[in-house]
Structures are given as C-alpha cells and as structure tokens.
Amino acid sequence: MKDMRSSSVLSAVSFRPRYQLEEKPHPTVRVDCGWSIWTQWSTCSRTCDVGVRRRYRSGTNPPPAFGGRPCEGQRVGIDSCSIEPCFGMKGPWNAWSKCSVSCGGGYRTRTRGPIRIHGTAQQFSACNLQPCDEGRVCPPGQAWKQCVRGAVSCTDLAMDLSRNCTPGCQCPPATVQQDGVCVRESDCRCDMDGRQYKPGDIVPTDCNNCTCEAGRLVNCSQDRCNVDGQWSMWTPWGQCSVSCGAGLQSRYRFCSSPQLSGSGLPCLGPHREDQFCINSPCDRDGGWGHWSNWMDCTKSCGGGIQSRRRECDSPSPEGEGNYCEGLGTDVRACNTDHCPVAPCSQVPGTVFSSCGPSCPRSCEDLAHCEWRCEPGCYCTEGKVLSANGTVCEDREDCPCLDLGTGQWVEPGETTTAHDGCNNCTCEGGRLNCTSYTCPVPGEWCEWSEWTPCSRTCGAESVSRYRSCGCPEPKGGGAACTGEQETHNRVGVQIQRQPCPVITFCPVHGSWSPWSDWSDCDACAGSSARTRDCNSPPARFGGLPCLGESRQKRGCHDNITICSDCGGGQKEWPCGKPCPRSCSDLHGDTVCLDSPECSRTCGCPVDMVLQDGVCVARDECRCKYHNSSATGLDSSNASWVWPGGSDWQFANPGDSIITDCKNCSCEAGVLRCQSLPGCNVDGGWSQWGAWTECSLPCGGGVKFRGRQCDNPSPQSGGRGCPGAAEQQKDCNIHLCTDSVGPWLPWSDWSACSVSCGGGQQTRSRLCSSPPCSGLRRQSKTCNTQVCLEVGCPPGRLYRECERGEGCPFSCAQISGREGCYSDGCEEGCHCPLLTYQHHGVCLQECPCLVDREFLASLQSVSITPVSSLLLYNISEGMELQPGDRLDHDCSTCGCEHGRWNCSLEHCPVDGGLSPWGPWSPCSLSCGGLGLKTRSRGCTQPCTSPRRESVSGSTPGNHLLPGPRLPSNYWSYRRTSFTR
C-alpha cells in the first residue's frame, strides 16, 4: 500500500479457559489527585541583585486512589527576588601596579570596580623599601634615616598616612616624593579618577567643585547633586520558573547608572522583562482513561461477546514516561444460554457434537474466541459457521467483527479505525489496519498563575503564559488558534498586565544643608539657622523630612552693650533657657540651650517673646501650613504671610478645620483631633519637661519624651517619624564623696518599642578608674504581640525555653553589654539560638572594630592602625563571622561576636649604634697599656658589643666589629582577608 509504514490486526483473539473468572468493575469510586496549598516562599538566595526563591506543594489533597488521575502541574514554584542593585559590592582586586621606585621606598596601587556604580576603589601599598645598592645609598635628593616619621610621598599626604619610625630614605624637610623625585609639599598634585590636577586647579567631584592643595582636595562645595536616574544594562536571563516543560524566565535592570539623586527624575519604563523558556520535556507515565460502555452482545443465545475500549490519555505519556500497562480493549462473554439445536441436516457440511471442536468454530470466533462446551452442529474440513450460523464457509469468506463498534465488515471492505485516521480492511475474518501517525490538532494548556508583583510601587507588569501542548499538534494537525510565539517548535502565548500599584515610587523628603548661623542678636541673646526640605522634596506619597527646619540658639557677642532690655525683658546672667520666644514652640523649630554662660536679655520665666514684647505662653500664635486648611473658625483672625511662604498663623483659640482633622490653637501649639473614618498620619505632641538628672555627680543623664497623639495615626495612616525620647548628659562634675568605684545604676530607659519585643538599657559611671565589670546593661521588654500585624519580621511568637533569657543580643555576646533578666515571658522572640542585632535576628554575631580593639592591635604593631583605612576598616564598623584581619605580625579572626587574636611583635634584627670615643690608655708609660671603646645594640637592642684595643699608640685595632647585615630591617604591609 502507498505510504503504508506497518500494519496491525485489530482483533483481540484470546483463548481463555472456562474456569477463568470474568473481570468485574471495581465498586470503589476513583479518586483523582489534588494539590495542597503552596508553602510560603523560601528565603531569597541573594540579598541584592537578582536571586531565586522557591515554594512547594504536594499532590496529597487528596492523593490519587483507585486508579485516579495523578496531579498535573509543577510541584516546585520558582520566582525571582531581591531585585535591588548591590551598591558597593566589589569584584576582585586587579594586579598591583609597578612600584614607583626600584629601591629606597615607593608605592604601588591596585583597583577594583564596584558593580553598576561609578568610581573606582583604590588601594596603596609601600614597596621596594630596601636601601639602594644594598647599603644606605638613597636616590638623588633623598637621605638615609634610621627613623623615618611622617609622610614620605605625595600619596601619603593624600591618604593622610605617616610612617612611625621606620628606617628608609626620606626627602629633606617640607618635601616629599612624587614620581621618584623630591618636591615641596605645596607642589604635590591631586590624582582623581585617573586624571591629574596641579595645585590650585579646580577639581570637579560629581556636581561639586574642590581645590587641589598640597595633594589634598580642600574647600569643596556642599551642593546636593540633582541627578536623573538612568537604567543599567539588563541582567542575564534568570532561571526558568519550572524544572521541566514550559515556563517563564525574567531579567531585570536597575535605576542605578547613575542612581537618582537630589531632585532628579526617576527612571521611566519597566524594570523587568519576561520571556518563554522550555526545558527538557517532563517525564510523565501514561494513565488509562475511563472504559467505554459495553457494546451490544453479538448473539442472543449460545454465547456471544461484548467489547469495550479505553484510551491511554489520563494523562498521556510524556518525555521518557511509560505507556499504560494492560490492554486497551476488553471482551467478555454474553447470552451464554444454550440455543435450540436444529437438525444438522439443515446446515450442509455439519455434524453434531455434544461439546464442539476447538476455536475457531465460527466467523465470530476469528475476532475473539472463548471456548466452552456447547452442543450443536459444527462444520468439518476446516470450515467455520457463517455469522448467522446457516452455512459452512471458508475462513477467507468470513466477514470481520469490529470489536470497537460491534459492527460486521464484509470481506474486502474497508472501514475507518477507531483513531479516525487509519483504515481497516477485512481479510480472512480479521481486520487488518494501517498504523499511520494520526494528525492531532493542538490544544492550549491551562493558563499559568500570574507571576507575583515584586515591587510595591513603580511601573511593573506581571505575566502568565500557556503553551500549545495539551496536546501538541502532531502528524500535520492544526496548530492552536490565535496569535502565538514559537519556541523550540512549541507555540506559546504570554499575557501581560500592570500590577495594581501606584505609578511612581514614593520619594522621601531630604533636607538641604543648614544655612550659616545668623548674626547674633546680642540683646535678644539668640541666633538662628534654617534648612529646606527640597533635596529632594517629598513626592508621590513619600515621607516628609524628619526633624525641624529651623534652629535657634543662645549667643552673645561680648561686644554689644544692651543698656535696656525692652519689651518687658530682663537681664539673664547666663542667658535664658528654652523656650525664649513663641516661635520656639512651633513644630518646625527646635530651641537649643547655649552651652556657654553669657549675659543676655530675656523674658521672665513664665513668659516668651512675640513681636518684640514679652507675653504669656497662652497668648502665642500658632503656625501651620496653609495648604492643609479648608476653613477657619475665628472671631478675630490675623493672618501673616512671612516672605510669601506657605506658612500661616492663627491666634489663640482659632480652630483650623480640614477634611480629616480639627485643630485648635492653644498656647502656640496646634492641638489636633482626627475625624472618624479618615486616613490620618500621626503627629507629635510637644516635648515634655526634662526629668531630674539620674546622678547627682559624675555624669548622669536626663530624659524627655513626647507622644504621637497630635493627632494619633488612624485608619492605616503613618506613624510619627523620629524618636519619642531624647536624653542628654547632666551633672558631669566629679563626685568628691562617692563610696566605691562604681556609681549607682541609672533608671531603665523607656522600651525601644511598644510591642513585638524591644530593649531597655541602663548605665553607670566609674568614679575612680579602673572599674571591673560592665557599665551598661540591657533587658527585653514589651514582647506582647502587636495588634493586627503580629510579630515583627524574623521573630516568632513562642513560649520561652527553660533557662532562656540571657544573652539575647549580639552586644551581650561580644561582652560590650551585660544582660539583665527578670524572667522570660511568652511573646515575640528571636528564634532559638539567634540573637538581636540592629533589629534583626542573627545566628552568628559580627565583631565590632572599637577603640579598645584598635589600641590592643597598635600596642604590638609598628605600622599605624590608621593604615587600615586603605581597606575600608575604621573604628565603629563591623566584620562578619569568619572574617580575618592581618596587621603586621598579628592576626585576628571574628568568631561569633568576639575577636580571637594572636597579637605578636614582629621580629626586628638588632642595629648597632656608632662606636664611642677611645678611653685614655691605662698606662702613661713603661709598658703595654689598654684603652677601650664601645657601641650599643640600641636601634633596636638585641645584645651589646664591645671591642678592646691594646697598644702604646692609639688606633691599633685588634678586633674589628662584625659587618652589619644588609637586611637588618623589614617593612610588613597590612592586609585584610576575608
């Protein structure tokens, strides 16, 4: 046949013994698989740039049973996360440059580039410190010194480095090395971003200008740069969202090249792109579908057959999955009652048999035969009974029984196979079928879930996809309908829609630099300075600037003579404390007490200055922003527009009414209440009075607080920015009659949070150092759950373990604080074996580079610890567990909050001082006398040397001193390894 690849016989001829039981349908209902709910997303694999997070589900809701279908879909969900740029993350260091000199002490540099931010990190290292010509010969213009101190090169000046008594070559005083020659310090140039600037040149740095002076950048302007954000390059495509089959992969770009700064514009456009990805096909075993209904019985008596079919499509096998086990056709006997036996003479060629011959005995048996003992008339000579049992026929003349439909097909006729695309021909009582691959039209799979929104603001789209694979088009079948992309010969569709977030991300306000202090109003005893919230201003719902826009402080010029304190003021010998005027009560101003004692004018204690006149605080006007008011309820309102600004003033007793707040002016302060149902941000009350000093002498502290209730945040409004408590030192004079080295503990501070788990601290002072023990203690507080939001991120609501309570923070692990425990209560705590540190829970604590640590390192080092600045290590920073710091011959490693150090002095070979003068001869005449001279091992000392000389005349050297080794000193550079 044309294009015939193979043929098969569509029949199910089996010879089953009579005693085999007939298959019965299972009475239990089939249960298909169902997915459980997704787990929470795992922790992101990275804290910046693009990482991966995963979530899981299982096919147990319910599991498949009694032949039910398995779950379809992915067990593991994959998504991108932490899509913020890694600012300051750096790649490996490049190779060191060539040393600036071949001997006598030079420097070399190396650089590495930060990821996606401008600028170059640079390190400097001393090199070739050995003397030239293996002696004390220095390059021209330089002189050998056993103890070099201060800056050696222009680079040292730029980096604020200095030598600490190390031997080597040095230029004359007031000169340093540059390019191998000695130049005056004032002639040192400045190196900036690969360019060289001469002294006096203007050096641009971002949007500011500096002046090059003696190798340093000085007199830099302080303008805040306004830089529009620009997109970085796209990241590589990320991991596919599925482990096999069709999925999505994403790539990102960051608004970091450069980053938005000042009042610059944000980047426009999407930060994420998705594309379709196809991994290797998923391996899936096939599963049988439902059985069809039984066909009609082929006979009314004497034993006919019924058939039914099932398909391997629940699911269809995929990839390397196995095909369904078992048969796709099932046949059973039916109408087995004996038929009346007519005389065999009525059917020519038959003879009677009480049981009958073996299969096949009729044309029907050629399709399927189950032998049983059945009395009747049977054909002889190899013939079989016809389909109606009336004649004996040769097998070639038998029609064919189609078990799939129960229909008869005449010899030589062709019928369509059950798959709809192949043909079956009746030959010798059996259907012989072609086996072409049937054309299968493609069908769309179900849409995937929408990718999650990864941002809370800004333009972002989410995607979902589906593939033309349920099933894929095969054998020339039609593709799925609709527009589609093709990936690896698979049609896909991707839908995108914007996330339901605001278009622009909030821009939080930032202050401009403070203005200069105004000239001192000597008679009023005050000076002021201001700043504006415009660098950038708060936009798109961003937070306003934190703090005040105006500061006032007491002052005195010691020149002006105020003969008369007008307006009802009087003279204050040390200046009046805050508040001095009504403006000191306004929310945008903070009043600072003068640290010095100076005579000024000021209102009496219970009065403040307004319009040059002393008034009671109850008479002070209130200041507010006029954009917030929609109406004013006042019988006598006086409006002042200072400088045409947006500020407005109201008299005492005035009511300022807005859509969501009702405020009244009371003693210079607006008292506000929120209206029900409004979304209102919180506002601070006035600061309370300072508490009494915690100690009568020796240095105590006092506190003052304020409440976020003017108004209170409501209906999701933001809380008040800034601190609710302030403290300042007091009674710092020495105690003269204290008992014991430690002064009493201060009171416990207020808890750092109102719920969710915070800290309280207290401290004490050492009156007569040294004191043993710690000066600071901390304890947990307010561990109860926060209403509506639960425990803070990273903390768990749990019961306390036995003995739990101390230590609970990294400050306690490191030994910088003591731990105080008055019992651990059920509530929000860090997980077991983790510790609080800057608001997060850590399994291992970092180590603090503090003053004591640097002092202990310097005590055994020749190189100053200030050189650690070259490696971005300075006082106050933290190193992570496992980090190691090497300096000279000492090594320190960070082990769970504590330094493990091996502090060692570097070995230094001894250096001999010059010979001293000869002593007088021991005899003036009359024999052989002796005179001596000496020198010491003092640079540094290892052992003394002494040489004796005998003879009657000076200069007769008998024991020359040993030759000084050329490598008797060495310089060891500092390094930091991680």
Side-chain angles (χ1 to χ4, degrees), residues 363-670:
C363 289
E364 180 182 299
D365 290 347
L366 293 174
H368 179 78
C369 184
E370 293 186 23
W371 186 91
R372 70 179 60 82
C373 182
E374 180 71 26
C377 298
Y378 296 98
C379 297
T380 60
E381 298 179 359
K383 295 184 177 183
V384 293
L385 285 169
S386 64
N388 56 13
T390 58
V391 296
C392 290
E393 295 180 328
D394 291 329
R395 297 185 184 185
E396 289 73 15
D397 297 329
C398 280
C400 300
L401 176 64
D402 187 344
L403 294 177
T405 63
Q407 302 297 317
W408 288 95
V409 181
E410 293 300 320
E413 289 187 0
T414 300
T415 186
T416 303
H418 66 85
D419 59 16
C421 69
N422 282 287
N423 294 322
C424 299
T425 303
C426 181
E427 297 175 353
R430 296 182 181 179
L431 291 174
N432 191 9
C433 302
T434 60
S435 57
Y436 297 120
T437 300
C438 294
V440 178
E443 295 289 343
W444 289 113
C445 299
E446 294 293 327
W447 285 104
S448 70
E449 296 182 7
W450 289 103
T451 56
C453 291
S454 56
R455 307 176 69 183
T456 57
C457 61
E460 182 185 19
S461 295
V462 292
S463 306
R464 68 173 182 173
Y465 65 92
R466 64 177 179 177
S467 63
C468 185
C470 296
E472 293 183 22
K474 296 179 181 178
C480 295
T481 59
E483 294 185 8
Q484 54 194 283
E485 304 173 17
T486 302
H487 294 266
N488 292 344
R489 300 189 301 276
V490 176
V492 295
Q493 286 183 335
I494 300 179
Q495 287 185 344
R496 296 177 176 88
Q497 69 179 22
C499 281
V501 295
I502 58 178
T503 303
F504 292 104
C505 291
V507 177
H508 301 319
S510 183
W511 291 112
S512 66
W514 283 105
S515 67
D516 295 332
W517 287 101
S518 65
D519 293 337
C520 184
D521 184 344
C523 294
S526 66
S527 175
R529 63 176 182 174
T530 61
R531 58 180 178 175
D532 296 315
C533 185
N534 61 2
S535 300
R539 291 182 292 178
F540 314 125
L543 295 173
C545 295
L546 172 63
E548 67 284 344
S549 62
R550 179 181 176 88
Q551 285 185 342
K552 295 178 66 177
R553 67 179 182 182
C555 63
H556 189 72
D557 60 9
N558 295 321
I559 298 175
T560 304
I561 299 175
C562 301
S563 57
D564 179 28
C565 294
Q569 300 181 80
K570 68 172 187 176
E571 184 177 295
W572 289 76
C574 279
K576 184 185 178 182
C578 294
R580 305 182 187 93
S581 67
C582 287
S583 62
D584 293 345
L585 303 174
H586 299 154
D588 67 323
T589 303
V590 63
C591 182
L592 304 176
D593 286 321
S594 175
E596 300 177 354
C597 180
S598 57
R599 183 177 59 84
T600 64
C601 293
C603 292
V605 176
D606 296 330
M607 305 183 75
V608 287
L609 195 66
Q610 180 172 259
D611 300 332
V613 178
C614 292
V615 297
R617 291 182 59 168
D618 290 344
E619 300 179 35
C620 284
R621 293 188 297 269
C622 296
K623 182 179 181 182
Y624 70 98
H625 201 270
N626 73 350
S627 63
S628 63
T630 59
L632 179 77
D633 180 13
S634 173
S635 58
N636 183 16
S638 174
W639 304 112
V640 180
W641 295 76
S645 70
D646 290 336
W647 289 105
Q648 199 163 282
F649 289 84
N651 288 328
D654 287 349
S655 295
I656 295 89
I657 304 171
T658 68
D659 292 338
C660 286
K661 287 189 294 186
N662 284 343
C663 302
S664 60
C665 178
E666 300 177 11
V669 179
L670 281 179

Side-chain angles (χ1 to χ4, degrees), residues 13-328:
V13 179
S14 61
F15 303 93
R16 295 193 293 183
R18 186 167 187 142
Y19 55 80
Q20 182 167 340
L21 295 176
E22 180 180 313
E23 181 182 347
K24 300 290 185 183
H26 201 291
T28 307
V29 177
R30 187 177 72 173
V31 179
D32 294 335
C33 172
W35 287 112
S36 66
I37 61 174
W38 287 103
T39 64
Q40 297 294 320
W41 286 106
S42 66
T43 303
C44 192
S45 61
R46 300 193 62 174
T47 57
C48 58
D49 277 348
V50 182
V52 174
R53 59 178 183 170
R54 292 177 172 83
R55 61 177 182 174
Y56 304 88
R57 60 179 179 176
S58 60
T60 57
N61 187 34
F66 311 120
R69 296 186 182 186
C71 287
E72 295 187 17
Q74 295 292 322
R75 185 180 64 86
V76 181
I78 302 174
D79 182 42
S80 303
C81 53
S82 292
I83 48 176
E84 295 298 330
C86 293
F87 293 106
M89 298 296 293
K90 302 176 178 64
W93 287 103
N94 298 324
W96 285 105
S97 68
K98 185 179 178 180
C99 193
S100 60
V101 296
S102 59
C103 60
Y107 70 91
R108 58 182 181 172
T109 63
R110 65 177 181 177
T111 60
R112 64 180 177 185
I115 296 175
R116 284 193 294 278
I117 60 176
H118 295 292
T120 302
Q122 193 169 28
Q123 281 186 339
F124 293 84
S125 171
C127 56
N128 294 344
L129 297 171
Q130 73 281 0
C132 300
D133 300 329
E134 298 187 357
R136 298 182 179 180
V137 180
C138 294
Q142 300 184 46
W144 172 265
K145 291 187 177 180
Q146 190 65 33
C147 183
V148 175
R149 297 182 182 274
V152 173
S153 66
C154 287
T155 303
D156 291 350
L157 292 176
M159 302 296 292
D160 288 328
L161 298 178
S162 62
R163 302 290 190 269
N164 185 19
C165 192
T166 57
C169 297
Q170 191 172 25
C171 291
T175 64
V176 289
Q177 297 178 28
Q178 180 172 266
D179 300 332
V181 298
C182 295
V183 299
R184 291 181 301 174
E185 291 185 2
S186 59
D187 292 335
C188 283
R189 65 171 180 264
C190 299
D191 296 329
M192 184 69 181
D193 291 337
R195 297 186 59 186
Q196 297 178 347
Y197 297 89
K198 297 178 182 178
D201 284 353
I202 301 300
V203 183
T205 59
D206 295 328
C207 64
N208 289 287
N209 290 324
C210 302
T211 303
C212 176
E213 181 179 298
R216 301 181 179 91
L217 297 182
V218 299
N219 299 327
C220 296
S221 58
Q222 299 294 322
D223 296 333
R224 186 177 179 92
C225 302
N226 297 324
V227 180
D228 293 341
Q230 297 290 332
W231 289 115
S232 67
M233 298 293 289
W234 286 102
T235 64
W237 287 105
Q239 188 172 350
C240 196
S241 61
V242 295
S243 56
C244 62
L248 280 182
Q249 59 184 163
S250 306
R251 66 175 183 174
Y252 298 86
R253 58 181 179 174
F254 308 107
C255 190
S256 60
S257 298
Q259 188 182 15
L260 167 68
S261 178
S263 299
L265 297 175
C267 298
L268 300 178
H271 79 299
R272 167 178 173 164
E273 282 186 348
D274 296 327
Q275 76 172 11
F276 199 75
C277 53
I278 296 182
N279 292 321
S280 57
C282 298
D283 296 335
R284 184 176 68 184
D285 294 338
W288 288 115
H290 293 286
W291 285 106
S292 66
N293 295 326
W294 289 103
M295 299 297 179
D296 293 335
C297 191
T298 57
K299 291 181 180 180
S300 59
C301 62
I305 57 175
Q306 289 178 295
S307 63
R308 62 177 180 175
R309 291 192 57 80
R310 60 178 177 177
E311 302 295 336
C312 186
D313 60 0
S314 297
S316 300
E318 291 185 1
E320 299 296 325
N322 296 320
Y323 194 79
C324 302
E325 295 183 3
L327 296 175

Side-chain angles (χ1 to χ4, degrees), residues 759 795 810 816 835-842 846 848 876 878:
Q759 293 188 54
R795 303 203 180 195
C810 285
R816 300 192 306 274
Y835 304 91
Q836 296 182 27
H837 189 63
H838 299 327
V840 297
C841 300
L842 301 178
L848 178 67
E878 294 177 338

